[in-house]
Amino acid sequence: MTDLALAVDIGGTKMAAGLVDRSGTLRERIQVPTRAGKPGSEPGSEPEGEVLWRTLADLVQQVQLRVAVDDRLVVCGVGCGGPMSPDGETVSPLNIGEWRQFPLRARLRELTGLPTYVDNDAKALALGEGWVGAAADQSNFIGIVVSTGVGGGIVLEGRLLGGRLGNAGHIGHVIVVPEGRHCVCGGRGCLEAEASGTAIAALTGHPADVAPPVMVERTGTLVGRAIASVVNLLDLPLAVVSGSVALGFGAPFFEAAQREVDLRCGLDYARGARVIAGGLGDRGPLIGAGRVGWRSEEVSV
């Protein structure tokens, strides 16, 4: 019998669910687009937030049906966009406007019948990369996701930083362009407002996957600028960057980010900090979500 974590990843563009074993292997996965839109205005229409929940619930139940007869589900781990309240009891993802103070953890616990643990999706990815990915031998690093939005998770002396309310590591709201573009958080010039897939589409009029070379370099430079601030602040030697935008842009993005880090990190302890691509590719979000579940289950035993 193989013990499995039901892993759930919720983002602004897609939602995914899968099965992750205790060794970090992703056994199954299903992915669907994230439903978005405005609440229905017709009398009796279902709020869009509930439509989104039903889409997620159907996805989760499909994955549950893929559990082999000889295997068993032990825990549910979830990575979701933030911000969120402590322990992910409620979530208010900036890129999912239909959910504000949505009781995600309780809903999934009731749906699955499993102990359920929720954390920020970028923090989850950092856990995954530190478990079986590009940072598996590292005790100090930041994991970053550059995708529809921009998020991060910080591992310091082997421990994932949580923060007062569980939102530590949100590098997407480090200021990289003073008085720059307005951000959904209410600020201006945030990394997310300047370098996310959403921002790139707004700036160019085209999806990020067809961005011109000048935009690829700009995005890498801005991500590198934010990384340099965190490296200087926390004495970190490594940034592991994943997400559809970063990995899709490839070498030119990473070269621009590394140049900016080299330029901005002149202190002895910060000099030489590296920027590398995540090692888990598109499996990372679900492996990270699985690790959220396994890690919490181990602590609770």
Side-chain angles (χ1 to χ4, degrees):
M1 177 179 291
T2 301
D3 289 349
L4 298 169
L6 175 60
V8 180
D9 175 58
I10 302 167
T13 300
K14 64 176 178 62
M15 298 187 293
L19 304 173
V20 178
D21 66 21
R22 289 187 185 273
S23 71
T25 300
L26 179 61
R27 301 267 184 134
E28 297 278 353
R29 64 173 160 176
I30 304 175
Q31 176 178 311
V32 297
T34 301
R35 293 285 297 274
K38 298 179 180 179
S41 57
E42 298 179 3
S45 62
E46 188 175 29
E48 197 66 25
E50 289 302 314
V51 175
L52 179 62
W53 162 251
R54 284 195 293 103
T55 302
L56 177 63
D58 289 345
L59 174 68
V60 167
Q61 290 174 326
Q62 287 181 54
V63 170
Q64 287 181 290
L65 292 174
R66 294 193 178 189
V67 177
V69 174
D70 294 334
D71 297 337
R72 65 170 183 168
L73 287 174
V74 175
V75 69
C76 178
V78 185
C80 180
M84 58 185 61
S85 65
D87 299 318
E89 293 294 346
T90 64
V91 300
S92 303
L94 292 178
N95 52 13
I96 303 178
E98 297 79 15
W99 281 359
R100 288 294 174 265
Q101 302 298 315
F102 185 80
L104 180 64
R105 185 179 181 187
R107 287 284 193 97
L108 281 171
R109 184 169 55 228
E110 180 180 6
L111 175 70
T112 65
L114 297 169
T116 300
Y117 303 95
V118 180
D119 210 335
N120 178 274
D121 53 357
K123 288 169 66 185
L125 186 59
L127 281 177
E129 290 288 348
W131 186 24
V132 292
D137 60 346
Q138 299 293 320
S139 297
N140 297 278
F141 69 94
I142 181 170
I144 301 172
V145 180
V146 184
S147 186
T148 305
V150 179
I154 296 168
V155 173
L156 197 61
E157 297 182 346
R159 182 172 65 89
L160 180 70
L161 297 187
R164 181 175 61 91
L165 299 177
N167 296 294
H170 219 320
I171 195 172
H173 300 285
V174 167
I175 306 303
V176 292
V177 181
E179 303 307 315
R181 301 182 72 248
H182 288 281
C183 182
V184 291
C185 76
R188 292 185 65 176
C190 298
L191 182 61
E192 183 164 306
E194 300 286 347
S196 66
T198 302
I200 293 167
L203 287 164
T204 66
H206 301 286
D209 59 2
V210 293
V214 65
M215 183 57 66
V216 173
E217 181 164 356
R218 177 183 188 271
T219 304
T221 297
L222 295 178
V223 171
R225 187 170 300 168
I227 290 170
S229 294
V230 177
V231 166
N232 287 326
L233 178 67
L234 295 177
D235 191 8
L236 298 178
L238 179 67
V240 179
V241 187
S242 298
S244 59
V245 171
L247 298 180
F249 282 174
F253 167 90
F254 285 94
E255 289 164 4
Q258 186 66 65
R259 282 196 301 271
E260 188 71 3
V261 168
D262 293 343
L263 177 65
R264 307 287 179 182
C265 293
L267 294 167
D268 288 344
Y269 69 82
R271 193 178 296 120
R274 295 180 299 131
V275 182
I276 66 173
L280 299 178
D282 63 1
R283 297 174 296 126
L286 284 177
I287 291 175
R291 184 58 183 162
V292 168
W294 285 129
R295 174 174 172 262
S296 300
E297 188 259 354
E298 291 163 1
V299 170
S300 66
V301 172

